[in-house]
Amino acid sequence: MLAPILLAAYLTCPTQDNLIQTQTGDIPIILSAPHGGRTPIPGMPERQGNGVSKFVAVRDERTDELAELTSKDIERDIHKRPYMVAANFERKYVDPNRPANEAYESPQGKPYYDAYQQALTRAKQDVQKRFGAGLLLDLHGQKAEMDSIFRGTDNGLSIRHLQASKGPQGLDGPQTIVGLLAAEGYPIIPPPGSTAKEGKFDGGYIVQTYGSANGGTVDAIQLEFGTHLRSKANIEKTAQALASAIEGYLRAR
């Protein structure tokens, strides 16, 4: 099981809210799942999105499950675990993939937002310290192409270190996570080798903040999985494919 961040220090209620879960890893991979949570934040009103551009409050169904299944598959295969940060709370209360001024509307949301960002910061710092470099995969869901995966890097900005060290193929070459998923038959948008710009799923606040756009040696890629890939019938297969791609990428580093 993932280890919960205990938020009692932030909250006035006497009980501890286990609405964010973290896992310390043994490999230089961080899995982030900010939008899969199903639990209401006690006593907090839902966000209305007033003044927020591109306001979204719906859940990215089963992305938290995808992160956890992928972690378990990796651990089963190579006896090591990735780092993980997953939100159990509903996105309609707090959105960790937005800057703070767009992420929550009630002061009650601040502790949850801060805790998610702090967990990612710790994971990134630990990966850089222990491994020298690493990769954050921010897992999301989309309905535009139900059998496809959109990859987002803020049009290359969140993988500056990776591209400087590996060149253009550092993102989607045959031994990368994107390339290995494509080789397994998963349609990737934009496809490997394409010079097309990323579209609406080009990467949000998390990849922009925790990738290498502003320096550092941890890169970040947003992966938007289609609805069919996250269905009950396919989620385990998708997780195994992602786990296998991560394992292949690590072997080739």
Side-chain angles (χ1 to χ4, degrees), residues 16-245:
Q16 294 173 328
D17 288 68
N18 302 327
L19 293 183
I20 300 175
Q21 300 185 80
T22 66
Q23 174 175 286
T24 300
D26 312 298
I27 57 177
I29 298 292
I30 305 166
L31 300 178
S32 167
H35 294 159
R38 299 165 178 264
T39 306
I41 294 178
M44 183 174 175
E46 297 180 12
R47 296 185 300 137
Q48 300 302 308
N50 297 327
V52 176
S53 62
K54 298 181 181 179
F55 176 71
V56 181
V58 297
R59 181 187 313 126
D60 283 355
E61 198 69 60
R62 298 190 186 88
T63 48
D64 54 341
E65 184 179 353
L66 177 60
E68 188 160 5
L69 286 171
T70 300
S71 175
K72 289 179 178 178
D73 286 341
I74 293 171
E75 186 171 12
R76 182 198 62 222
D77 294 343
I78 65 174
H79 308 293
K80 293 182 179 181
R81 304 190 302 176
Y83 291 75
M84 194 183 323
V85 183
N88 289 342
F89 54 77
E90 285 269 13
R91 181 187 194 178
K92 60 189 177 182
Y93 297 97
V94 176
D95 188 342
N97 196 33
R98 295 288 186 272
N101 65 323
E102 298 183 1
Y104 54 90
E105 298 170 0
S106 165
Q108 293 168 272
K110 185 178 188 305
Y112 299 91
Y113 179 82
D114 289 350
Y116 200 96
Q117 308 306 323
Q118 290 163 6
L120 287 179
T121 297
R122 286 194 297 268
K124 177 178 178 177
Q125 291 173 342
D126 203 37
V127 165
Q128 288 187 142
K129 180 178 179 181
R130 293 175 61 190
F131 304 102
L135 184 62
L136 184 152
L137 301 176
D138 197 34
L139 307 183
H140 294 266
Q142 51 81 20
K143 299 179 180 179
E145 296 286 344
M146 294 191 178
D147 294 297
S148 300
I149 303 170
F150 286 82
R151 54 88 169 158
T153 62
D154 198 16
N155 284 299
L157 295 180
S158 69
I159 54 165
R160 277 182 168 171
H161 168 262
L162 186 63
Q163 292 193 320
S165 59
K166 301 291 186 181
Q169 285 204 326
L171 169 62
D172 57 16
Q175 298 303 315
T176 65
I177 293 171
V178 170
L180 289 165
L181 284 169
E184 286 297 312
Y186 289 88
I188 306 295
I189 304 174
S194 171
T195 58
K197 286 206 164 197
E198 296 164 350
K200 64 181 292 187
F201 302 114
D202 57 351
Y205 178 79
I206 287 175
V207 299
Q208 293 167 8
T209 302
Y210 299 99
S212 58
N214 298 312
T217 55
V218 171
D219 297 285
I221 303 172
Q222 182 170 300
L223 295 176
E224 294 265 357
F225 290 83
T227 302
H228 290 167
L229 302 182
R230 294 176 285 114
S231 68
K232 288 183 180 180
N234 294 324
I235 188 75
E236 292 186 5
K237 179 182 177 183
T238 303
Q240 182 56 69
L242 179 56
S244 296

